[in-house]
Amino acid sequence: SSIEDAASMNVLCLDKTGTITQNRMTVMDPVQFDGFTEADVSWLAAMASGEGSRDQIDEAVLDYAARIGEKTAYRRISFTPFSPELKRSEATIESKGKKFRVVKGDLKTVISLCHGLTDAGRDQAEKSARELSGKGYRILAVARSSGDDTDQLVLAGLLPLADPPWPDSKEMIENMKRQGIKIMMLTGDNIAIAREIASEVSIGDRIITISELKNLDESKQADLLLENDGM
């Protein structure tokens, strides 16, 4: 009966999280500033992350840092986990006899701690963050202290995080579309993330919100849904 049902299918609705995507936060390519490398940004972020904390973001940061290799020998002297009030986590690190401070968290919070950041540097960071956010990424900012003063923070870079599609999601969806089946994506995520993922797996980028359907009668709701790629 399942084969018969599949043969008569016209529209298939797929949940985004866990079906199209892996339901796992993953660090994408870091953005680096002021002479820092991508490896520097990921390593510093890992220093300000809690091992064994079961925090999805910290786990993603640590996994990424482990894949690219550890920067240098270090000893973490102190660690303050992320809190909603502070909007950041931080650590004091000792490496080669010197101590420095690393901070990871909300962009505005981290920027406010980088007292020596120029207007041009701030504009560059905010522009990069806007571009990444427009693609649906969640953004973490990373900074470290410079010199002997642990309060003199320098913005090292940004870490974009996303829940990526399964490796075979695009191929599966394209194959079903070739069979004449319309694919629609359903999600509770914000519309920027929905559009980015739907485009990436060849569903399309015409995503509507539930508010666009509320005041329509049933037939118009159906028409609008079929004109778009998800909601």
Side-chain angles (χ1 to χ4, degrees), residues 24 61 80 82 166 177 227-228:
R24 179 174 61 87
V61 171
T80 303
F82 178 87
W166 292 105
K177 289 171 72 174
E227 289 170 2
N228 289 278

Side-chain angles (χ1 to χ4, degrees), residues 204-222:
D205 62 358
R206 299 172 301 175
I207 307 297
I208 59 174
T209 62
I210 191 68
S211 61
E212 296 177 63
L213 298 173
K214 281 185 176 179
N215 297 322
L216 301 177
D217 61 44
E218 189 172 316
S219 63
K220 290 183 178 179
Q221 286 179 342

Side-chain angles (χ1 to χ4, degrees), residues 73-210:
Y74 68 91
R75 183 169 70 91
R76 187 157 64 184
I77 299 171
S78 67
F79 173 64
T80 303
F82 178 87
S83 73
E85 295 79 17
L86 296 176
K87 296 184 179 181
R88 70 177 189 271
S89 62
E90 62 178 78
T92 301
I93 308 297
E94 184 179 56
S95 178
K96 297 180 180 180
K98 294 185 178 181
K99 296 178 182 178
F100 61 94
R101 178 182 171 209
V102 181
V103 176
K104 173 182 106 264
D106 170 73
L107 177 64
K108 289 184 179 180
T109 300
V110 174
I111 281 180
S112 71
L113 299 172
C114 298
H115 303 301
L117 188 64
T118 64
D119 290 342
R122 183 189 300 269
D123 290 344
Q124 180 186 6
E126 291 178 344
K127 179 182 177 183
S128 296
R130 283 195 301 271
E131 291 174 352
L132 292 168
S133 296
K135 295 180 179 180
Y137 294 127
R138 183 169 181 174
I139 311 300
L140 289 177
V142 183
R144 66 157 290 172
S145 61
S146 176
D148 297 326
D149 186 357
T150 56
D151 289 328
Q152 189 64 37
L153 294 176
V154 176
L155 187 63
L158 306 177
L159 282 183
L161 295 110
D163 175 17
W166 292 105
D168 59 351
S169 288
K170 181 177 180 180
E171 181 183 358
M172 176 198 71
I173 287 166
E174 289 180 342
N175 184 46
M176 297 190 76
K177 289 171 72 174
R178 284 195 293 271
Q179 309 307 315
I181 300 170
K182 177 177 176 59
I183 307 296
M184 296 195 67
M185 188 180 76
L186 306 180
T187 181
D189 284 337
N190 73 56
I191 201 160
I193 294 174
R195 283 176 176 154
E196 182 68 18
I197 294 296
S199 295
E200 193 172 336
V201 298
S202 294
I203 292 177
D205 62 358
R206 299 172 301 175
I207 307 297
I208 59 174
T209 62
I210 191 68

